[in-house]
Amino acid sequence: INANIADGSDLGSALDYLESAVNEKTTGVLPQFTGYSQTFQESRGQMTMTFAAGLLVIYLVLSALFNSFLDPLIILLTVPLSLFGAVLALTIAGDTINMYSNIGLITLAGLICKQGILLVDVANEGRDQGMPPLEAALHAGELRVRPILMTTAAMVLGAVPLALATGSGHESRQPLGWVIIGGLLFGTFLSLYVIPVVYSYLAGLESRKPIPPTT
């Protein structure tokens, strides 16, 4: 059976509906997909595993970099904040979660962690100088707000041509661009407020000895 997706629908919803409809008529029998539908079905589980593996690699690298198991968790908190913004941008743009937007989500996870790294790194330096966690977090926010906004602006502007792409192949570029734009804007805005608050509560769970000033 060959079919096209109706306007306003998406491939994932159509395939789910087809599976449920076939199941109602023939219990235990699932339709066999070919072509792009088969590729989409196979990529569903693979993209989830790839995203989870990417987060694990980021966590391990940050753990080695910060010599801490708690700091990477604070940094990775930026990921779910940005994912909400990415889905919101896709909804507003009329796009859906597909193979290309999933690639954008994996890219976004790596990009948005930069904001948390800048904040946590400076906050740790403040604690090494004897500041309490809350004061160190506020100090980090004051020092790093400009670099964070400049970095976000550069990455968002770089993704604008993808989101506004037209012509052949624009269906694959637009979801990627909207995911990066929405995720970075929303994730960065919330990170500047949420990360310092979470750091002020969780950073005290790990003891840090102040480094004496050098003479």
Side-chain angles (χ1 to χ4, degrees):
I1 299 176
N2 294 324
N4 294 323
I5 304 300
D7 293 337
S9 183
D10 60 271
L11 181 59
S13 301
L15 295 180
D16 291 339
Y17 173 77
L18 182 59
E19 285 187 347
S20 62
V22 172
N23 240 349
E24 290 178 2
K25 301 296 182 181
T26 55
T27 305
V29 178
L30 294 178
Q32 299 296 317
F33 299 109
T34 59
Y36 185 72
S37 298
Q38 181 182 8
T39 303
F40 179 84
Q41 289 288 77
E42 293 175 350
S43 67
R44 275 179 164 179
Q46 294 175 355
M47 293 303 295
T48 302
M49 293 298 297
T50 302
F51 189 78
L55 291 181
L56 179 61
V57 170
I58 293 174
Y59 176 80
L60 294 176
V61 171
L62 292 177
S63 297
L65 181 65
F66 284 91
N67 194 25
S68 167
F69 291 108
L70 187 59
D71 288 348
L73 292 178
I74 300 175
I75 294 171
L76 287 176
L77 183 62
T78 58
V79 176
L81 299 178
S82 65
L83 293 182
F84 182 82
V87 174
L88 181 63
L90 284 176
T91 303
I92 295 175
D95 284 315
T96 60
I97 298 294
N98 51 48
M99 184 170 58
Y100 303 107
S101 57
N102 283 334
I103 295 174
L105 292 176
I106 296 174
T107 305
L108 177 63
L111 294 176
I112 196 64
C113 286
K114 178 68 174 178
Q115 328 297 22
I117 292 174
L118 290 174
L119 291 172
V120 172
D121 185 47
V122 176
N124 285 342
E125 291 179 0
R127 291 191 65 203
D128 290 338
Q129 297 173 5
M131 294 182 181
L134 178 57
E135 183 180 349
L138 294 176
H139 177 69
E142 293 176 356
L143 285 182
R144 288 308 186 194
V145 62
R146 183 178 296 178
I148 287 175
L149 293 179
M150 292 177 63
T151 303
T152 300
M155 290 187 290
V156 167
L157 291 175
V160 168
L162 293 174
L164 302 181
T166 57
S168 178
H170 73 277
E171 299 88 352
S172 61
R173 295 191 292 269
Q174 285 184 348
L176 180 63
W178 285 119
V179 164
I180 294 176
I181 292 174
L184 285 176
L185 289 177
F186 197 83
T188 298
F189 178 76
L190 287 184
S191 297
L192 292 173
Y193 290 93
V194 175
I195 296 301
V197 173
V198 175
Y199 183 91
S200 66
Y201 282 101
L202 298 184
L205 299 178
E206 284 187 342
S207 59
R208 296 180 70 93
K209 295 182 179 180
I211 299 176
T214 56
T215 56

